[in-house]
Amino acid sequence: MEFAELIKTPRVDGVVLHRPFMPTVEGTLCLTGHHLILSSRQDNTEELWLLHSNIDSIEKRFVGSLGSIIVKCKDLRVIQLDIPGMEECLNIASSIEALSTLDSISLMYPFFYRPMFEVIEDGWNSFLPQDAFKDLESMVWTDEWRLSEVNKDFSVCPSYPPLVAVPKDIDDDSLKKVATFRHGGRFPVLSYYHKKNGMVMMRAGQPLTGTNGRRCKEDEKLINATLRPGKRGYIIDTRTINVAQQAKARGGGFESEGNYPQWRRIHKAIERSNVLQESLIKLVEACNDQSHSMDRWLSKLEASNWQTHVKEVLTTACLAAQCIDREGASVLVHGTEGTDSTLLVTSLAQIILDPACRTIKGFQNLVEREWLQAGHPFQQRCAQSAYSNSKPRLEAPVFLLFLDGVWQILRQFPCSFEFTESLLVLLFEHAYASQFGTFLGNSAAGRAKLSLPEKTVSLWSWVNRPQELERLTNPLYEANSLVIWPSVAPQSLLLWEGVFLRWNRSSKSLDEAYDEMVHIIEYNKELQNKVNTLRRQLAQLETEDPLLHTP
Amino acid sequence: MEHIRTPKVEKVRLLDRSSGQRKVSIGTLYLSATHTIFVENNPETRKETWVLHSMVSSVERPPTTPAGSQLILRCKDFRVFQILIPQERDCLDVHASLVRLSRPEKYSELYCLSFNPNANKEERQESWSFIDLMADYKRMGVPNNLWVSTAANSEYRVCDTYPSELFVPRSATPATIVGSSRFRSRGRFPALSYFHQDTLAAVCRCSQPLSGFSGRCQEDEVMLQAVMKSNPGSDFIYVVDTRPKLNAMANRAAGKGYENEDHYTNIKLQFIGIENIHVMRSSQQKIIDVGEMRSPSMTDFLWGLENSGWLKHIKAILDAGVFITRAVADEGVSVLVHCSDGWDRTAQACSVASILLDPFYRTIKGLTVLIERDWVSFGHKFSHRYSHLDGDPKEVSPVIDQFLECVWQLSEQFPCAFEFNERFLIAIHTHVYSCQYGTFLGNCQKERRDMRLRERSHSVWPQLWKDRAEFTNPLYKAELSQSQGILRPNTTPYCFKMWKGLYNHVEKSTPPRQSPADFLSAVREESQQLEEELTNHQEKIAALTGKPITWENIEVPRRTRHLRYRHSGPDPPTFADPITSPAHENTRTLSSEPANRKAQTQDPSHSPPVGLQLDPEDLSACSDLESGVADLSSRSSSGGDDSKDPDLE
């Protein structure tokens, strides 16, 4: 199929663009295969380049022959295009609709995009699975854990990467048996190793006990292998006990006390994906309506339940971190599939526990390992965002909820993260629409099939360039090797304005404050350098000329 | 002293509930003439907790438990202490003493009149001349050919709740003033609050007219004409009635009300809808309760916030200020502001407008001048509103609390616009209630003069000024656009947040969380020292080498990062927005140790929390507990907190 077939009117003049907090721009609107472009064709005026894949939905309005298209984007921005001529407007609208809902992944922009920047480090090689636990290899770790290639052709678990870390005593045949006992073949694998005390966090899919209490000796052996003699472990089930009970009827279930006597099971209540999607839609709707009274705003914020979800995932992550760091116990986390709420918990717990995850590189590594490699289905979850008119099927803002959780911790510990909020916003945008191939596909297997490393550019190639790193670096950062315990009290959790109110308020004075902060710190550094130089110069002068010391 | 029945009780257990601690300390309780003092038994810390009697808002005595008798002390700065006394008789004595001591009947019982700071007469007199209101009027260009000083109220003859020195329109004769004052509640005739030099428009204030259903007064009509004539640029004035219209109408039945637009030529009447002191009192109680909730769910919290109505009221006050600011700065139209008596909502609306209109009032000195003018001199009833003496509880209302909160909300939107930080606002809040200084005593200037407060007590302002380093916002920069000219805040509901620094003590004391503001203050301080060292070195080097000093300016190019839509070439935009800086959240924490804040997180060596809990609420409890640990150690070791807490002096 040619894009040209979908573009009925490639160019319209005299189009007026309205954007919040920006002057209107009049210019020429062009449609290309992947972009909507508006240019005034004058120097110094900004142009609009919008990826079609960033468009969540559009609305058309007509006043006489003047048509308007309201474009609602996945990054939550809303813009309006006034297009003279009814026919042009209708053509543009139908083209945008068609181009923004292309089904075929191979037609997506990343397959056409060629970088205009120099790739210093190919992001596709930055975080290889075999390196994931590299820094642990010299430690005791190797006596207890090994990397298994049992899934190298994705046949044991289609959503796992080819290489996974498992207890050393469990051989690949056992792993295959365990895989048949876990949802989606997701047998328990290592997610995090706590160097401080050697405790671990594992994740898996739910056990397929069914109504008749099926059991699997290998599964029991596998997870028991992670326990120290005489110690108990904790299983964190991200579902309420009722939901977990109901799962039995569909072949799922949970670990019974009888079969797992060394494990204590804790049920938490992280909502399923469709509930999260509804919550996001309600929240964004509340944020976009400026006519609300205070009462109505607060009640809509409450009714969206978004903040409740934030509190719930952080609470569960704290619980997992607490088991490991304070109780000195190993933890197994799972929900149903083990690809959504499970990852929320394991990744946020690592932010709390592991200082390495709070660096720029370490955070990318965490996203790569706990989300991309761990099989979070980005393609499905991020197909639509908050403005979608169609009934959500598999869409859910799980990754956005993760980023929100990280933001809450970052806000409470503004000096303990090497990156700023900008990195989180950037990831949010690129997860939904991007010129990079990083977030395409639903699993490592899917990405391998698409040959993404060969055919597309990695987001990490873009991020890990000095200019971009400088922009993302937190000037307040000072490495903090401690565990950071966020407060999860509702009063301590704020609405993430940088995403949800980003287009609804001017950020000028906040940007100014940020620049000022950077300036104070850079000025101090410069002074320090200067003073040090003079100190040395002075010391040198004084030693060269000892006479000067004697009066 | 006659009210103290038991000066000392031992083996008392104290829980500082507002600090989020779950840890009870055991020690000795002392009652002095001015303070309740608790000294911990722990020989390592011997931590002392001092509570000023005038800061106690209530003393409750819940039923006796087997462990002893309880007292709950609620303070006006929203701290809550729970005290357990082994013997019931002791408890009864302490209760009776505290009830009496916390409700002084006469001004002479108050701390500021009994407390003699180590300062001599000259210092005391000097402290009162720290603020010169006339100098501020002069700064705004008054008197001039439009606004003149009037002697009409000297000796408080016309209006006993107004200051003696006032500015009125040049064309207003003494007869007009007196006539107008007879037609206004409590004689509070229209007088100048703020003159805006750029547009020559003015903000004036008064009380409601005694119009009833049909009353009119020629002098009052002339007076409003005069206000209009004192602004050559416009042919009408706004009369802003800050009350809800229904309330204003109801007042007509009592012979009061609002201006009839038919009787006054060239006025435009505008109602704003700020609720009365009774609504505000109960609303604040609700938000205090929200702050004190233990382990609420998100729903509980947000519902509580909505149900309190507090943020709605804060928004209404800020909206009033925005309306006045637009009229004065954008339209160049003068505004006359009133409510009922013109000393609560009017003070709020006028002072918020001044903050928005004039950058001077966003400085440390400026805010003190503003409070002195619009609140102290114009007869805001401090002693009644903040219950300095035992009196009518219906007179009590958090009017100035709301003004301070409006300023805080603005500082969240404009992080570089204010010279002071949150601590300064909270310090003012404390002193409004504490009665440690004479500044806020009494209900008007005349009362203060009659009490001879200037001879018997000290002014709070020089004291705060002395500590200004601690109250300075490191991000304040006079050159930035937000620090200059008019502030135009966004008052959409989502721009308002609960002021945790004031209402949520749990958060306030939770782990000495990292504060970028304190960190930046420390960096700036260090930079100053480096600058000095640089000069020193340069001079020494010049002396050693005999070469003249080559002064080098340290210049750091400013990074500007307004890249919201930018992109280059055919590449689509890859720039994420330089969104919210962490800095705008920065003024949250309240501690006095800037430098070492940064790295403070909980030390893992601190005792592990309670056993694993299955209950999600208990997990947050666990965080709290840890915070308690961290908090305790920081307080006891440094004493830094103590030096700035007026209760602990």
Side-chain angles (χ1 to χ4, degrees):
Chain A
M1 186 193 63
E2 286 294 321
F3 292 121
E5 290 169 20
L6 299 173
I7 304 172
K8 295 174 187 159
T9 305
R11 235 190 84 164
V12 188
D13 290 322
V15 173
V16 179
L17 165 69
H18 305 268
R19 289 174 291 187
F21 302 105
M22 305 272 287
T24 57
V25 180
E26 185 176 339
T28 304
L29 179 74
C30 299
L31 288 188
T32 72
H34 294 105
H35 286 98
L36 180 156
I37 303 158
L38 187 121
S39 165
S40 63
R41 300 187 179 237
Q42 282 162 11
D43 288 344
N44 301 326
T45 39
E46 288 176 288
E47 300 172 322
L48 172 76
W49 283 70
L50 192 65
L51 267 180
H52 294 316
S53 57
N54 189 6
I55 295 173
D56 208 21
S57 72
I58 61 166
E59 278 168 33
K60 292 169 289 217
R61 279 182 207 158
F62 290 98
V63 180
S65 68
L66 180 77
S68 293
I69 301 178
I70 294 157
V71 179
K72 300 182 173 182
C73 304
K74 289 177 189 165
D75 61 15
L76 308 182
R77 163 176 35 163
V78 179
I79 60 171
Q80 184 180 333
L81 297 163
D82 293 343
I83 300 171
M86 189 176 294
E87 194 188 335
E88 283 83 354
C89 186
L90 285 170
N91 283 346
I92 295 283
S94 70
S95 300
I96 296 178
E97 257 169 3
L99 290 165
S100 61
T101 52
L102 292 177
D103 275 336
S104 166
I105 293 187
S106 60
L107 289 178
M108 302 290 264
Y109 185 53
F111 292 98
F112 298 82
Y113 170 75
R114 291 294 161 260
M116 299 294 289
F117 59 90
E118 190 197 347
V119 175
I120 298 167
E121 177 192 327
D122 185 354
W124 289 114
N125 301 324
S126 297
F127 308 101
L128 297 171
Q130 57 265 37
D131 298 336
F133 296 99
K134 207 164 194 171
D135 63 323
L136 293 172
E137 270 166 20
S138 57
M139 306 176 63
V140 225
W141 191 75
T142 39
D143 301 337
E144 296 170 5
W145 297 86
R146 69 185 181 96
L147 292 175
S148 164
E149 292 186 347
V150 68
N151 197 42
K152 65 174 184 287
D153 54 1
F154 307 108
S155 59
V156 178
C157 171
S159 61
Y160 269 173
L163 213 56
V164 289
V166 293
K168 193 157 198 165
D169 299 340
I170 308 298
D171 59 25
D172 284 357
D173 287 338
S174 304
L175 292 178
K176 285 178 188 164
K177 282 185 191 146
V178 178
T180 61
F181 180 66
R182 290 278 172 176
H183 193 116
R186 294 177 71 92
F187 54 90
V189 294
L190 182 73
S191 156
Y192 171 68
Y193 181 89
H194 198 45
K195 285 183 211 166
K196 199 170 111 192
N197 59 10
M199 293 300 134
V200 297
M201 180 158 56
M202 290 175 295
R203 51 179 158 73
Q206 65 177 339
L208 303 174
T209 59
T211 39
N212 48 12
R214 204 179 135 218
R215 66 188 286 188
C216 171
K217 289 280 183 195
E218 287 79 5
D219 188 76
E220 292 157 28
K221 191 177 164 216
L222 192 164
I223 70 164
N224 287 341
T226 66
L227 293 177
R228 296 278 158 86
K231 286 285 242 176
R232 297 223 301 178
Y234 291 89
I235 294 172
I236 297 177
D237 191 324
T238 61
R239 306 161 296 179
T240 61
I241 179 74
N242 285 339
V243 175
Q245 286 281 9
Q246 288 157 14
K248 283 185 175 176
R250 291 186 298 274
F254 51 86
E255 296 82 355
S256 67
E257 284 83 358
N259 298 342
Y260 297 84
Q262 287 169 280
W263 294 82
R264 188 163 157 198
R265 210 177 60 248
I266 305 172
H267 289 273
K268 303 295 290 182
I270 298 180
E271 290 290 353
R272 279 163 308 140
S273 29
N274 53 345
V275 177
L276 297 181
Q277 182 69 12
E278 275 171 40
S279 171
L280 175 70
I281 291 171
K282 282 187 193 161
L283 174 69
V284 171
E285 194 207 320
C287 291
N288 283 352
D289 192 340
Q290 318 231 345
S291 66
H292 287 328
S293 70
M294 184 65 76
D295 286 354
R296 187 139 175 81
W297 155 248
L298 288 172
S299 105
K300 289 202 121 186
L301 177 64
E302 191 274 303
S304 81
N305 266 329
W306 182 263
Q307 294 297 94
T308 302
H309 301 317
V310 172
K311 177 170 155 58
E312 204 55 58
V313 298
L314 280 173
T315 306
T316 312
C318 282
L319 174 72
Q322 195 188 336
C323 292
I324 292 169
D325 187 64
R326 295 299 171 90
E327 296 289 310
S330 287
V331 173
L332 169 67
V333 184
H334 71 74
T336 305
E337 291 93 349
T339 54
D340 295 292
S341 57
T342 304
L343 305 182
L344 278 169
V345 175
T346 57
S347 55
L348 285 170
Q350 289 177 60
I351 294 279
I352 295 168
L353 291 169
D354 187 1
C357 294
R358 298 174 222 141
T359 64
I360 295 183
K361 259 298 177 62
F363 187 69
Q364 294 172 33
N365 193 2
L366 179 75
V367 169
E368 185 73 36
R369 193 162 37 84
E370 287 297 296
W371 290 89
L372 291 159
Q373 298 294 330
H376 176 67
F378 278 96
Q379 192 80 40
Q380 293 174 347
R381 296 289 181 256
C382 301
Q384 301 264 252
S385 155
Y387 300 121
S388 159
N389 297 323
S390 52
K391 202 170 180 302
R393 300 181 308 266
L394 299 165
E395 291 82 359
V398 183
F399 188 61
L400 175 58
L401 188 56
F402 160 68
L403 296 173
D404 196 332
V406 178
W407 179 78
Q408 305 284 351
I409 306 175
L410 168 63
R411 201 191 60 81
Q412 293 185 25
F413 296 91
C415 304
S416 297
F417 287 77
E418 195 191 4
F419 51 89
T420 62
E421 185 184 11
S422 303
L423 178 61
L424 304 176
V425 177
L426 181 123
L427 290 177
F428 160 61
E429 292 177 325
H430 284 275
Y432 279 86
S434 177
Q435 65 271 48
F436 302 109
T438 301
F439 290 107
L440 291 182
N442 289 313
S443 62
R447 277 186 290 274
K449 214 169 142 195
L450 290 165
S451 314
L452 292 177
E454 295 79 39
K455 294 185 176 165
T456 71
V457 181
S458 163
L459 173 64
W460 311 132
S461 302
W462 163 267
V463 170
N464 292 319
R465 296 169 316 128
Q467 311 90 298
E468 200 60 15
L469 288 176
E470 183 191 304
R471 197 183 72 80
L472 300 171
T473 302
N474 177 7
L476 297 171
Y477 177 60
E478 196 169 74
N480 172 358
S481 61
L482 302 176
V483 174
I484 52 176
W485 298 104
S487 161
V488 295
Q491 300 94 315
S492 306
L493 303 175
L494 293 183
L495 179 68
W496 188 7
E497 299 179 7
V499 162
F500 298 112
L501 300 178
R502 180 179 176 191
W503 312 102
N504 298 333
R505 57 171 171 91
S506 161
S507 63
K508 189 169 162 274
S509 56
L510 301 180
D511 292 346
E512 236 174 32
Y514 185 79
D515 292 343
E516 184 56 30
M517 180 179 83
V518 171
H519 184 258
I520 290 172
I521 291 168
E522 287 184 351
Y523 175 69
N524 178 270
K525 281 185 190 149
E526 196 57 41
L527 263 177
Q528 263 169 0
N529 290 339
K530 188 76 199 162
V531 167
N532 285 338
T533 315
L534 288 183
R535 264 185 210 155
R536 277 195 299 274
Q537 203 182 336
L538 197 62
Q540 210 175 6
L541 280 171
E542 282 170 347
T543 49
E544 272 170 14
D545 197 353
L547 287 179
L548 282 171
H549 288 289
T550 48
Chain B
M1 294 304 258
E2 72 266 33
H3 308 303
I4 302 173
R5 299 196 191 177
T6 307
K8 179 179 171 187
V9 189
E10 287 178 336
K11 291 182 190 143
V12 171
R13 285 156 193 271
L14 176 97
L15 176 65
D16 182 354
R17 249 175 31 187
S18 44
S19 75
Q21 288 179 26
R22 306 273 156 117
K23 201 177 145 240
V24 175
S25 35
I26 303 172
T28 308
L29 189 78
Y30 300 89
L31 289 187
S32 81
T34 53
H35 288 88
T36 303
I37 306 153
F38 177 83
V39 183
E40 212 177 79
N41 283 351
N42 185 341
E44 276 170 36
T45 52
R46 302 287 295 172
K47 187 185 155 193
E48 297 181 6
T49 307
W50 292 56
V51 181
L52 198 61
H53 295 323
S54 52
M55 288 305 280
V56 174
S57 64
S58 76
V59 194
E60 292 160 32
R61 203 164 60 79
T64 303
T65 67
S69 307
Q70 287 187 75
L71 287 182
I72 294 174
L73 239 64
R74 290 181 189 279
C75 298
K76 293 171 182 174
D77 59 359
F78 317 123
R79 291 185 301 167
V80 183
F81 297 97
Q82 206 169 335
I83 299 169
L84 192 75
I85 297 174
Q87 298 296 324
E88 185 167 15
R89 218 196 54 222
D90 289 337
C91 182
L92 287 171
D93 283 349
V94 171
H95 180 250
S97 308
L98 277 178
V99 165
R100 178 62 189 82
L101 289 166
S102 65
R103 285 183 211 153
E105 285 160 3
K106 303 187 293 283
Y107 282 116
S108 59
E109 292 174 37
L110 287 172
Y111 190 48
C112 64
L113 300 179
S114 66
F115 159 77
N116 264 326
N118 306 323
N120 54 30
K121 194 177 159 200
E122 286 72 37
E123 279 181 44
R124 190 181 62 225
Q125 283 167 348
E126 213 181 291
S127 84
W128 288 106
S129 54
F130 179 77
I131 285 178
D132 179 358
L133 284 185
M134 288 308 124
D136 188 49
Y137 283 110
K138 207 165 172 184
R139 189 191 60 84
M140 52 172 109
V142 172
N144 53 28
N145 59 355
L146 304 168
W147 294 91
V148 295
S149 171
T150 175
N153 203 39
S154 64
E155 291 306 308
Y156 311 102
R157 280 184 310 234
V158 179
C159 172
D160 59 357
T161 60
Y162 260 6
S164 54
E165 290 174 298
L166 283 164
F167 291 90
V168 291
R170 169 170 283 267
S171 61
T173 63
T176 308
I177 295 171
V178 172
S180 167
S181 85
R182 290 206 182 108
F183 188 63
R184 294 273 166 184
S185 252
R186 314 263 176 179
R188 294 171 70 93
F189 58 89
L192 182 74
S193 161
Y194 178 72
F195 178 73
H196 193 58
Q197 273 172 299
D198 296 351
T199 59
L200 305 182
V203 181
C204 301
R205 53 185 293 174
C206 61
S207 59
Q208 64 184 339
L210 304 174
S211 53
F213 290 101
S214 56
R216 61 189 294 182
C217 164
Q218 204 196 346
E219 288 93 336
D220 193 60
E221 290 159 25
V222 171
M223 187 72 187
L224 265 62
Q225 264 312 99
V227 170
M228 189 203 81
K229 276 193 271 176
S230 271
N231 178 3
S234 98
D235 51 9
F236 73 97
I237 62 168
Y238 283 110
V239 174
V240 169
D241 190 327
T242 55
R243 299 168 293 184
K245 189 167 183 183
L246 267 180
N247 299 20
M249 285 164 76
N251 262 299
R252 291 207 294 196
K256 301 166 188 169
Y258 53 91
E259 290 79 359
N260 184 333
E261 279 174 288
D262 298 337
H263 297 165
Y264 294 83
T265 39
N266 309 320
I267 67 163
K268 283 189 186 168
L269 196 59
Q270 174 76 35
F271 292 94
I272 297 277
I274 303 174
E275 298 288 349
N276 64 30
I277 58 168
H278 312 295
V279 174
M280 300 307 191
R281 181 174 52 242
S282 89
S283 171
Q284 192 191 39
Q285 188 50 53
K286 287 180 191 157
I287 195 154
I288 294 169
D289 294 345
V290 169
E292 281 182 14
M293 278 198 270
R294 296 176 78 165
S295 309
S297 70
M298 189 57 81
T299 301
D300 294 339
F301 171 69
L302 289 173
W303 191 84
L305 201 58
E306 180 194 340
N307 186 48
S308 76
W310 184 254
L311 291 179
K312 175 170 69 187
H313 301 315
I314 298 295
K315 173 172 155 56
I317 295 162
L318 204 50
D319 279 332
V322 169
F323 179 87
I324 297 166
T325 302
R326 283 198 191 133
V328 169
D330 299 345
E331 294 183 59
V333 176
S334 294
V335 181
L336 176 64
V337 186
H338 72 73
C339 46
S340 297
D341 291 318
W343 51 44
D344 293 318
R345 287 170 273 203
T346 301
Q348 290 174 332
C350 290
S351 51
V352 169
S354 282
I355 291 264
L356 298 176
L357 283 164
D358 192 334
F360 172 66
Y361 300 118
R362 297 171 218 148
T363 63
I364 291 179
K365 184 77 192 275
L367 185 71
T368 64
V369 168
L370 179 64
I371 291 176
E372 192 71 32
R373 184 189 75 211
D374 270 338
W375 296 81
V376 178
S377 87
F378 268 102
H380 175 63
K381 303 202 292 176
F382 280 94
S383 278
H384 285 165
R385 294 291 176 259
Y386 312 113
S387 63
H388 292 160
L389 298 182
D390 193 22
D392 183 359
K394 286 206 166 62
E395 281 282 318
V396 178
S397 188
V399 185
I400 201 166
D401 299 37
Q402 293 182 313
F403 163 67
L404 293 172
E405 179 160 343
C406 285
V407 178
W408 178 81
Q409 300 277 1
L410 288 169
S411 74
E412 286 284 290
Q413 278 194 42
F414 302 98
C416 307
F418 294 85
E419 191 192 10
F420 46 83
N421 58 20
E422 181 184 35
R423 280 197 281 269
F424 187 56
L425 298 172
I426 292 179
I428 294 174
H429 179 266
T430 304
H431 285 295
V432 161
Y433 287 90
S434 76
C435 303
Q436 253 179 306
Y437 296 90
T439 308
F440 301 117
L441 237 54
N443 294 306
C444 59
Q445 207 177 63
K446 180 169 182 292
E447 231 179 282
R448 277 186 284 275
R449 191 198 60 172
D450 293 348
M451 275 196 271
R452 294 184 296 112
L453 278 177
R454 291 187 174 220
E455 291 155 48
R456 299 167 66 201
S457 72
H458 286 255
S459 163
V460 69
W461 303 124
Q463 204 56 39
L464 294 176
W465 180 251
K466 215 178 72 201
D467 296 335
R468 65 188 176 282
E470 193 193 323
F471 297 133
T472 302
N473 169 15
L475 289 173
Y476 173 68
K477 188 132 194 171
E479 303 94 81
L480 289 178
S481 62
Q482 59 187 291
S483 311
Q484 299 176 340
I486 315 293
L487 273 194
R488 298 178 191 280
N490 184 340
T491 62
T492 317
Y494 52 60
C495 294
F496 293 80
K497 282 179 246 175
M498 177 167 168
W499 188 5
K500 278 181 283 196
L502 195 60
Y503 294 110
N504 191 346
H505 287 244
V506 176
E507 165 94 354
K508 189 161 85 176
S509 57
T510 358
R513 291 229 190 272
Q514 300 165 342
S515 154
D518 288 340
F519 173 67
L520 290 174
S521 295
V523 169
R524 281 185 69 153
E525 206 173 299
E526 192 193 55
S527 292
Q528 268 175 11
Q529 288 165 5
L530 286 170
E531 280 168 357
E532 281 170 28
E533 199 181 331
L534 192 71
T535 318
N536 269 335
H537 286 340
Q538 282 176 332
E539 281 168 3
K540 275 189 199 159
I541 290 172
L544 283 172
T545 59
K547 286 182 202 156
I549 306 173
T550 46
W551 296 105
E552 279 182 72
N553 281 333
I554 307 285
E555 294 216 1
V556 182
R558 275 178 178 276
R559 277 197 262 164
T560 39
R561 19 178 100 210
H562 307 286
L563 305 168
R564 187 185 283 252
Y565 295 97
R566 224 188 81 193
H567 65 91
S568 44
D571 263 352
T574 321
F575 297 95
D577 193 37
I579 14 86
T580 346
S581 66
H584 90 287
E585 302 289 357
N586 57 24
T587 42
R588 244 172 357 106
T589 6
L590 298 166
S591 161
S592 51
E593 302 138 290
N596 55 17
R597 310 240 62 200
K598 193 180 175 189
Q600 282 177 343
T601 47
Q602 290 92 335
D603 184 337
S605 67
H606 281 130
S607 58
V610 283
L612 201 61
Q613 308 285 341
L614 304 190
D615 183 345
E617 305 313 329
D618 270 311
L619 191 69
S620 61
C622 150
S623 296
D624 288 347
L625 189 112
E626 291 174 58
S627 332
V629 174
D631 179 52
L632 199 70
S633 59
S634 81
R635 269 175 191 249
S636 52
S637 61
S638 70
D641 269 326
D642 302 6
S643 61
K644 71 168 212 305
D645 190 334
D647 279 358
L648 300 171
E649 275 173 2

